[in-house]
């Protein structure tokens, strides 16, 4: 009896070790962008309940790195949902994307917002901006006051992570600047058009200036317009042309048009 128990225990330990080694191989291939090869290694790990493998398998199905070589959105949704339900933060964010855009499931803004908020609560930087955007633009979830709160939260957190990186946060390369300037730009638009009920050119200029100096091209054009019209700042055609020119040289047609008008008149 003891011999049988010992033999069974050794078999279980061997099986666990083998599974762990297989998952490590799956991760290695995936992280080295050998996605097609990683698929066959990822599948058994996902089937054993590994949340990271499930999240990655969903991505492989979404983008067609499968045994068939074709995307399968239904299977992508199945696996990302399994991973998200286990608390995987990347899967939670991705499930929000799937619900928002209708990948493998009917679009549902309310459920998308719920998953984005869950991911944001688990320190996923992009999720902060998506929550703000859902409150800002998406039918069924629009709440401009909440949008402003979440855009400000995104900007502040992104700038903080730029100064003091924190491994507890899910942050991809370049995320800090991208999320910060997008949040600042969208805040400027809300204040410029008075989407809270009253236009506030001063705040619109403040946020547009931040985004423009961070390289957001649309905010650079908008900043030129505010200098040109004297909105939120003293009218200054020289500075208006400076910002228009910066973007016009990158091929932006609206900046080229506005710059042309200034030179013509």
């Amino acid at each position: 009896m003891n011999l049988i128990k010992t033999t069974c225990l050794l078999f279980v330990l061997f099986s666990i070790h083998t599974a762990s080694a297989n998952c490590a191989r799956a991760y290695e291939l995936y992280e080295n962008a050998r996605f097609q090869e990683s698929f066959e290694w990822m599948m058994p790990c996902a089937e054993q309940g590994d949340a990271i493998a499930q999240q990655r398998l969903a991505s492989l199905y979404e983008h067609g790195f499968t045994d068939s070589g074709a995307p399968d959105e239904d299977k992508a949704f199945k696996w990302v949902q399994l991973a998200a339900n286990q608390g995987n933060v990347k899967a939670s964010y991705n499930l929000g994307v799937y619900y928002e855009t209708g990948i493998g499931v009917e679009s549902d803004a309310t459920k998308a917002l719920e998953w984005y908020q869950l991911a944001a609560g688990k320190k996923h930087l992009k999720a902060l901006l998506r929550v703000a955007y859902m409150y800002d633009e998406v039918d069924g979830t629009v709440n401009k006051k909440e949008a402003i709160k979440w855009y400000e939260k995104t900007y502040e957190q992104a700038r903080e992570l730029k100064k003091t990186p924190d491994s507890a946060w899910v942050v991809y390369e370049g995320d800090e600047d991208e999320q910060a300037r997008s949040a600042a730009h969208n805040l400027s638009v809300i204040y410029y058009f008075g989407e809270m009920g009253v236009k506030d050119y001063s705040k619109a200029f403040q946020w547009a200036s931040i985004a423009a100096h961070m390289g957001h091209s649309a905010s650079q054009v908008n900043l030129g317009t505010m200098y040109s019209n004297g909105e939120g700042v003293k009218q200054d055609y020289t500075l208006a042309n400076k910002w228009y020119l910066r973007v016009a040289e990158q091929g932006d047609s609206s900046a080229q048009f506005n710059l042309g008008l200034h030179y013509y008149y």
Side-chain angles (χ1 to χ4, degrees):
M1 181 66 70
N2 289 337
L3 178 60
I4 294 173
K5 286 183 177 179
T6 302
T7 303
C8 290
L9 178 60
L10 288 173
F11 177 75
V12 170
L13 290 173
F14 175 76
S15 298
I16 293 172
H17 174 75
T18 302
S20 178
N22 288 342
C23 291
R25 178 61 175 160
Y27 294 170
E28 178 187 9
L29 291 169
Y30 188 93
E31 288 160 10
N32 283 284
R34 294 165 64 180
F35 300 123
Q36 197 78 48
E37 291 178 71
S38 74
F39 178 79
E40 61 180 279
W41 293 87
M42 203 72 72
M43 177 63 80
C45 296
E47 290 174 337
Q48 291 161 17
D50 186 300
I52 295 174
Q54 291 171 344
Q55 178 262 318
R56 291 179 173 183
L57 185 63
S59 181
L60 294 173
Y61 271 119
E62 180 187 349
H63 296 100
F65 295 109
T66 64
D67 48 1
S68 68
D72 189 326
E73 293 186 352
D74 290 339
K75 288 183 179 177
F77 178 80
K78 167 193 168 182
W79 287 108
V80 80
Q81 186 176 46
L82 285 170
N85 285 336
Q86 288 201 69
N88 182 280
V89 63
K90 291 182 181 180
S92 298
Y93 172 80
N94 291 344
L95 190 55
V97 174
Y98 284 23
Y99 272 117
E100 182 184 357
T101 58
I103 297 176
V105 68
E106 186 176 348
S107 297
D108 189 321
T110 300
K111 287 185 178 178
L113 178 58
E114 288 173 358
W115 283 104
Y116 285 142
Q117 287 176 318
L118 185 62
K122 293 182 178 179
K123 300 185 176 182
H124 192 297
L125 184 59
K126 281 186 176 180
L128 291 175
L129 186 66
R130 293 314 301 170
V131 171
Y133 178 78
M134 297 293 289
Y135 280 128
D136 188 11
E137 294 288 344
V138 179
D139 288 344
T141 58
V142 171
N143 183 325
K144 295 295 181 177
K145 184 177 180 180
E146 285 294 307
I148 289 174
K149 182 181 82 173
W150 281 88
Y151 280 137
E152 289 178 346
K153 187 174 182 179
T154 300
Y155 175 79
E156 291 164 4
Q157 187 61 62
R159 299 310 292 160
E160 178 62 28
L161 288 169
K162 181 73 173 179
K163 292 187 292 184
T164 311
D166 183 347
S167 60
W169 280 81
V170 177
V171 181
Y172 299 96
E173 185 176 354
D175 245 7
E176 302 96 327
D177 288 340
E178 176 59 31
Q179 305 310 303
R181 63 174 162 253
S182 294
H185 170 74
N186 291 342
L187 280 166
S188 74
V189 171
I190 289 175
Y191 285 120
Y192 185 86
F193 289 105
E195 294 176 6
M196 283 289 290
V198 180
K199 293 182 178 181
D200 190 329
Y201 289 140
S202 178
K203 287 185 177 179
F205 176 82
Q206 171 194 340
W207 285 109
S209 182
I210 289 171
H213 281 92
M214 293 185 73
H216 197 290
S217 58
S219 269
Q220 290 173 342
V221 174
N222 293 348
L223 197 60
T225 299
M226 283 185 268
Y227 272 119
S228 179
N229 297 338
E231 295 166 329
V233 67
K234 184 179 179 181
Q235 192 172 54
D236 190 322
Y237 291 122
T238 300
L239 286 175
N241 288 343
K242 168 194 168 183
W243 285 105
Y244 285 148
L245 181 61
R246 181 177 296 191
V247 195
E249 288 174 339
Q250 300 170 26
D252 186 280
S253 58
S254 61
Q256 292 168 347
F257 177 78
N258 290 337
L259 191 61
L261 286 179
H262 275 205
Y263 284 138
Y264 181 79
Y265 291 105

